[in-house]
Amino acid sequence: MAELLRVATAGSVDDGKSTLIGRLLFDTKSLFTDQLAAVERTSRERGDGYVDLALLTDGLRAEREQGITIDVAYRYFATPRRSFILADTPGHVQYTRNMVTGASTADLALLLVDARKGIVEQTRRHAFLASLLRVPHLVLCVNKMDLVDFDREVFEKIKEDFRRFAAKLEIVDVTTIPVSALTGDNVVSRSPSTPWYDGSSLLHHLEELHIASDRNLIDVRFPVQWVVRPRSEELQDYRGYAGQVAGGVIKPGDDVIVLPSGLTSRVAGIDTYDGPVDEAFPPMSVTVRLEDDLDVSRGDMIARPNNQPTVGQDLHLMVSWMVDAPLRRRARVGIKHTTRSVRAMVTDVSYRVDIDTLHRDEAVDSLGLNDIGRIALRTTSPLCYDPYRRNRNTGSVLLIDEMSGTTLGAGMIL
Amino acid sequence: MPTVVRVCTDRDHWFWRRVAGVGHWENWALGELVNVGETVGGAVGSAILDGYIGETRGFRVPVTGYELTHLQMLEAEAVHIFREVAAEFERPALLFSGGKDSIVMLRVAEKAFWPAKLPFPLLHIDTGHNFDEVLAFRDRRATELGARLVVGSVQAAIDGGELTEDTRPGASRNQLQTPVLLDSITDNRFDAVFGGARRDEEKARAKERVYSFRDEFGQWDPKNQRPELWSLYNGRHRPGEHIRVFPLSNWTELDIWRYIAQECLEIPSIYYAHSREIFERDGMLLAVTPLTQPRVGEVVVPRQVRYRTVGDITCTGAVESTAATVDEVIAEVAATRITERGATRADDRVSEAAMEDRKREGYF
Ligand SMILES: Nc1nc2c(ncn2[C@@H]2O[C@H](COP(=O)(O)OP(=O)(O)OP(=O)(O)O)[C@@H](O)[C@H]2O)c(=O)[nH]1
Ligand SMILES: [Mg+2]
């Protein structure tokens, strides 16, 4: 069983994400006394009627003033069974980019819904984003059950509404739990208020879940990050290619091909500071030596001759667009893919996805802030890539503004 | 019987410990001695004990089932970050204070570029209010690594009239670090600066990206951070702007200590329990030093203490402790109910948003 689970919250503004994270920390006694005292003090000073556990993650001044989450907060806690990285993300549509930040590395999304409001547009947007990002697990938390008298009908209706929507998405594993973040029902232990619910508490579920690994251990992919040349007397001839394994299992003696050049060689050894290793697999950071002296540099990809990524300049992507200025055909953008940075031109905006219906709107010619859609790009030089669904590491790209340097969007290669 | 240097605490191989002298390991459960480089079978699988690179290092941990331990995952992520920055920036520097986080950060950096040397210098912002043990340690470590050490001095800036010291009682030089840091960055034209800050330290830090963008004034804009997706880091910046990089973002205090144990890292002695003349102020335990003197009514007593963070001596408090070894510190940290900064840092107590405000101005 894996030791670490990365969790990100999702869902519309005010549905209770931060409160739920606070409740998880509080009820598992993961809070330090000074943190709790600070939160109690702030709540008291503001005149809240109760201790606002959302303050545990809403740590910025502006967040506290407005009572909303603006950017992701990371919290860490461990139970005897597992350790967790919790990313509490904002629900407000204006900060969707920060939700994507939190979800891009998550193994599990905690999608919250306010029991009184049910599924709203932002719930659908976040569910869709989680499925696009291929977050392997989703827990739908029907929250604020205390405000609907823990009514089973309300819960079942939301569960069914979501099931119908999610059927159109590629979400494999969905679990639905009725909770109250405010009162703690079904968060750490099963609640007497929901005798009709026979599933496990949220914490129990998070601890026992068998994590579907998103790692690809089949296709060897090693993007060269840095060439190690010690330039010292005793290591004059040392030349190693440092990087983090992006896929597959690499072993000394393996035949390899360096892309895009196509030169072939064999793995002479895999070095780490802690000694050579017999195998390297994701997400290990290692240094690979080759038997032949080839011209290999940052941005090159090492793969197996009989299992190569696509090498090409024409890419089709799903993108989540994160800035006000619309994305249009002919736009020039910077691209960062694995360890390679290139320029690209947008050759086509194929469609925008309607978040409510998931229909493709093919009439559009641009994508606006927070839109999700499909585009085509032509890059100035070739990339070595795989479809995102096959490998998150070799299938993801950043779109960057060449002038200001800001990140414009997240792209997933189709 | 040779003297035991330390017990390695790594999960499967905890029963091996290194013995003094050249290249011997001992299985303390079975009483076996082996030579470096020998393959040994133990109660829990087998390990190859190697020591051919350094004297104080542990041995290689065989990985099975293609799973990494939590620490190995954190380390792999941090190594990746170091290499990205070295490859994409022109003039990075690593903030090295001699504190535990920067010691861990330095070891990870060493691993990232091994067997080559670090491709960037170390930078220390010296407040002039340091623990002597820590400065001595800083210099020794830099020499060992053959790394260049750049020191930005708060004292020099005060002496040169660029900064005015707040001399009111209780004032610290923490505030003054920021302008000196920013000047050092500008003067050396550093475009990326590695810091050992962790997200679990403080609520504003919990919000920070791994690559934290700073404008030409060194300011952090928490309301407008760049998205940070997957492990694709965007280091683009314009001249004058720079990026603070936090490779240990996802580490907790406990992870740091476990790593110190795993790597047999040496740390300044003040992190372990020792006896000091102590007085209490605002609930903090302060040591009697030339810079921190008890006021009337503050009683000085000798106490067994250790430090959880080492910062400016005037605003860093000690905690009562009997933990004299890494393993005892780990046990203590695992059981503590107070955050490391909450217990010991007066600089964070100024206001609820003290850290956020300092960070906006350009603090680490
Ligand atoms: N009655 C009740 N109120 C709740 C519950 N969960 C959250 N709330 C309240 O709902 C409000 C919003 O909660 P937050 O946790 O800040 O919501 P959020 O989802 O984090 O909001 P954003 O991060 O801004 O998207 C607060 O006033 C909470 O106290 C619940 O289970 N029951
Ligand atoms: Mg929130």
Side-chain angles (χ1 to χ4, degrees):
Chain A
M1 178 167 276
E3 282 197 282
L4 175 69
L5 185 71
R6 294 180 190 248
V7 177
T9 60
S12 188
V13 67
D14 273 352
D15 283 357
K17 298 176 290 298
S18 303
T19 308
L20 182 67
I21 294 300
R23 174 55 66 183
L24 258 180
L25 295 169
F26 183 83
D27 285 357
T28 52
K29 306 200 169 38
S30 312
L31 290 175
F32 294 100
T33 47
D34 55 315
Q35 289 173 327
L36 187 60
V39 165
E40 282 169 350
R41 194 168 55 238
T42 308
S43 277
R44 200 165 49 239
E45 281 163 13
R46 293 201 313 200
D48 298 344
Y50 49 86
V51 177
D52 184 359
L53 292 174
L55 291 170
L56 287 162
T57 54
D58 290 343
L60 298 175
R61 206 188 273 279
E63 293 178 325
R64 290 172 170 217
E65 276 160 19
Q66 298 171 42
I68 59 164
T69 306
I70 292 174
D71 210 333
V72 200
Y74 294 90
R75 297 300 304 248
Y76 305 81
F77 89 107
T79 67
R81 295 211 55 107
R82 220 168 231 176
S83 57
F84 300 88
I85 299 182
L86 304 174
D88 181 32
T89 76
H92 197 290
V93 64
Q94 187 184 342
Y95 305 116
T96 302
R97 60 178 189 276
N98 297 336
M99 177 273 174
V100 179
T101 292
S104 68
T105 51
D107 304 308
L108 181 143
L110 278 182
L111 181 63
L112 272 80
V113 182
D114 184 330
R116 297 167 305 175
K117 299 185 195 151
I119 314 278
V120 297
E121 177 179 349
Q122 206 45 3
T123 324
R124 284 189 282 265
R125 174 174 281 112
H126 283 182
F128 183 44
L129 281 166
S131 103
L132 263 188
L133 290 163
R134 301 195 77 76
V135 178
H137 306 275
L138 190 138
V139 178
L140 180 71
C141 296
V142 180
N143 188 32
K144 308 199 184 182
M145 287 301 292
D146 56 305
L147 297 180
V148 295
D149 295 327
F150 295 96
D151 185 345
R152 177 177 194 167
E153 307 257 296
V154 174
F155 172 75
E156 296 293 348
K157 167 146 194 332
I158 291 173
K159 184 174 170 181
E160 177 55 23
D161 285 351
F162 188 76
R163 197 196 56 74
R164 260 187 275 123
F165 177 74
K168 296 180 243 169
L169 301 174
E170 292 183 67
I171 302 178
V172 196
D173 172 41
V174 184
T175 304
T176 312
I177 306 180
V179 300
S180 166
L182 192 72
T183 54
D185 294 87
N186 291 327
V187 176
V188 165
S189 44
R190 287 273 303 275
S191 164
S193 306
T194 52
W196 43 266
Y197 170 69
D198 56 11
S200 43
S201 72
L202 175 61
L203 179 69
H204 190 258
H205 180 72
L206 297 180
E207 284 185 310
E208 297 299 322
L209 174 81
H210 180 76
I211 307 173
S213 171
D214 64 333
R215 287 182 307 163
N216 176 325
L217 293 170
I218 298 162
D219 314 314
V220 169
R221 300 288 184 265
F222 187 74
V224 176
Q225 213 183 349
W226 171 261
V227 182
V228 182
R229 301 239 39 190
R231 296 181 214 288
S232 66
E233 237 159 71
E234 67 274 28
L235 290 164
Q236 282 236 8
D237 298 325
Y238 189 95
R239 191 183 169 86
Y241 305 107
Q244 187 166 28
V245 183
V249 180
I250 311 172
K251 301 188 184 77
D254 280 356
D255 289 318
V256 291
I257 183 164
V258 181
L259 298 168
S261 68
L263 299 169
T264 55
S265 184
R266 191 170 288 155
V267 176
I270 305 171
D271 292 341
T272 74
Y273 176 95
D274 299 292
V277 292
D278 304 330
E279 291 178 313
F281 51 87
M284 285 171 76
S285 284
V286 295
T287 301
V288 171
R289 280 181 294 108
L290 299 183
E291 284 183 0
D292 308 279
D293 239 337
L294 306 181
D295 175 10
V296 181
S297 54
R298 175 173 168 87
D300 289 347
M301 175 81 80
I302 294 175
R304 303 291 306 270
N306 58 1
N307 177 343
Q308 300 181 27
T310 309
V311 180
Q313 286 172 259
D314 288 296
L315 273 67
H316 293 272
L317 316 170
M318 289 301 289
V319 292
S320 158
W321 193 245
M322 300 174 168
V323 293
D324 289 316
L327 172 68
R328 293 185 206 281
R329 187 161 173 264
R330 295 194 154 276
R332 284 160 204 278
V333 291
I335 293 290
K336 184 163 180 183
H337 171 257
T338 63
T339 56
R340 191 168 256 256
S341 292
V342 298
R343 294 204 170 107
M345 180 176 280
V346 177
T347 51
D348 188 35
V349 175
S350 323
Y351 59 79
R352 187 181 70 95
V353 178
D354 181 309
I355 297 298
D356 285 318
T357 59
L358 295 180
H359 285 309
R360 300 167 175 186
D361 183 352
E362 294 182 1
V364 300
D365 57 0
S366 69
L367 296 181
L369 177 66
N370 300 323
D371 279 351
I372 298 158
R374 177 174 167 155
I375 65 164
L377 289 176
R378 178 157 180 89
T379 59
T380 49
S381 55
L383 297 180
C384 311
Y385 62 88
D386 295 289
Y388 184 83
R389 59 165 58 241
R390 176 111 192 144
N391 189 323
R392 265 185 176 189
N393 299 315
T394 55
S396 51
V397 299
L398 291 189
L399 284 73
I400 296 168
D401 185 311
E402 292 265 277
M403 293 295 288
S404 66
T406 44
T407 302
L408 301 168
M412 288 137 277
I413 300 173
L414 292 165
Chain B
M1 187 65 193
T3 13
V4 175
V5 177
R6 68 172 292 279
V7 180
C8 263
T9 50
D10 207 273
R11 275 205 315 187
D12 297 337
H13 306 292
W14 52 272
F15 50 86
W16 288 103
R17 58 190 168 191
R18 197 182 172 82
V19 289
V22 269
H24 281 107
W25 292 84
E26 181 196 31
N27 180 320
W28 58 263
L30 305 174
E32 282 172 6
L33 271 184
V34 290
N35 293 314
V36 162
E38 227 172 284
T39 305
V40 295
V44 203
S46 68
I48 299 164
L49 306 182
D50 73 334
Y52 68 92
I53 299 157
E55 271 309 299
T56 54
R57 296 220 343 270
F59 46 82
R60 142 181 169 205
V61 183
V63 260
T64 49
Y66 303 125
E67 291 297 338
L68 297 181
T69 65
H70 188 153
L71 278 186
Q72 288 172 324
M73 248 147 88
L74 291 172
E75 183 191 76
E77 176 181 82
V79 164
H80 171 77
I81 294 163
F82 272 111
R83 290 168 173 170
E84 275 304 284
V85 172
E88 292 202 324
F89 289 79
E90 305 218 326
R91 298 173 68 87
L94 183 148
L95 273 170
F96 184 69
S97 63
K100 65 181 189 312
D101 302 313
S102 65
I103 289 168
V104 165
M105 182 166 68
L106 191 56
R107 165 53 54 89
V108 179
E110 233 184 312
K111 292 197 177 192
F113 304 103
W114 181 91
K117 282 189 189 157
L118 294 190
F120 39 73
L122 310 183
L123 170 63
H124 181 223
I125 304 306
D126 180 356
T127 58
H129 285 174
N130 293 293
F131 293 91
D132 295 338
E133 295 92 328
V134 178
L135 285 193
F137 180 84
R138 173 198 79 183
D139 294 341
R140 188 149 45 78
R141 202 63 190 106
T143 314
E144 270 169 24
L145 290 171
R148 187 159 72 89
L149 176 67
V150 179
V151 178
S153 163
V154 173
Q155 188 64 51
I158 294 170
D159 295 344
E162 295 141 47
L163 290 178
T164 336
E165 183 155 31
D166 182 353
T167 48
R168 284 172 301 175
S172 88
R173 287 188 170 176
N174 214 306
Q175 293 282 340
L176 303 182
Q177 275 177 282
T178 302
V180 176
L181 170 65
L182 295 177
D183 284 346
S184 303
I185 291 173
T186 316
D187 295 347
N188 293 282
R189 290 182 290 118
F190 292 137
D191 52 2
V193 181
F194 295 104
R198 313 185 321 265
R199 288 170 175 155
D200 83 322
E201 277 179 78
E202 204 279 336
K203 61 186 182 307
R205 290 215 156 136
K207 294 276 169 182
E208 193 135 34
R209 300 282 190 257
V210 171
Y211 273 37
S212 176
F213 179 85
R214 302 303 167 105
D215 68 12
E216 60 201 307
F217 302 104
Q219 300 180 106
W220 178 55
D221 183 1
K223 275 185 72 179
N224 199 16
Q225 300 195 83
R226 279 184 187 168
E228 195 161 80
L229 306 154
W230 303 288
S231 50
L232 283 175
Y233 300 104
N234 173 4
R236 305 274 179 116
H237 61 282
R238 289 176 288 204
E241 300 167 343
H242 72 275
I243 310 269
R244 299 282 170 83
V245 183
F246 301 111
L248 308 183
S249 284
N250 289 323
W251 299 49
T252 62
E253 186 185 12
L254 202 51
D255 295 328
I256 293 286
W257 279 103
R258 290 193 174 132
Y259 195 75
I260 288 170
Q262 176 189 300
E263 298 291 313
C264 316
L265 288 176
E266 192 195 339
I267 52 171
S269 53
I270 61 170
Y271 279 115
Y272 297 112
H274 56 284
S275 179
R276 252 181 213 267
E277 296 291 297
I278 292 286
F279 61 92
E280 221 171 292
R281 179 177 297 164
D282 302 334
M284 285 204 319
L285 305 182
L286 293 181
V288 179
T289 69
L291 293 164
T292 45
Q293 291 289 330
R295 298 179 195 145
V296 183
E298 289 173 341
V299 190
V300 176
V301 281
R303 278 174 148 177
Q304 280 291 112
V305 295
R306 65 177 194 88
Y307 286 86
R308 279 175 78 183
T309 68
V310 301
D312 188 307
I313 211 165
T314 58
C315 64
T316 304
V319 292
E320 245 169 321
S321 168
T322 53
T325 64
V326 189
D327 293 336
E328 284 166 12
V329 173
I330 290 176
E332 216 177 80
V333 171
T336 184
R337 300 308 319 145
I338 300 184
T339 62
E340 73 177 61
R341 299 189 76 92
T344 63
R345 294 296 282 259
D347 43 338
D348 288 346
R349 297 185 173 192
V350 179
S351 79
E352 263 300 289
M355 175 67 94
E356 179 181 342
D357 294 342
R358 276 184 289 146
K359 287 178 70 61
R360 280 169 180 279
E361 289 164 15
Y363 187 70
F364 313 126

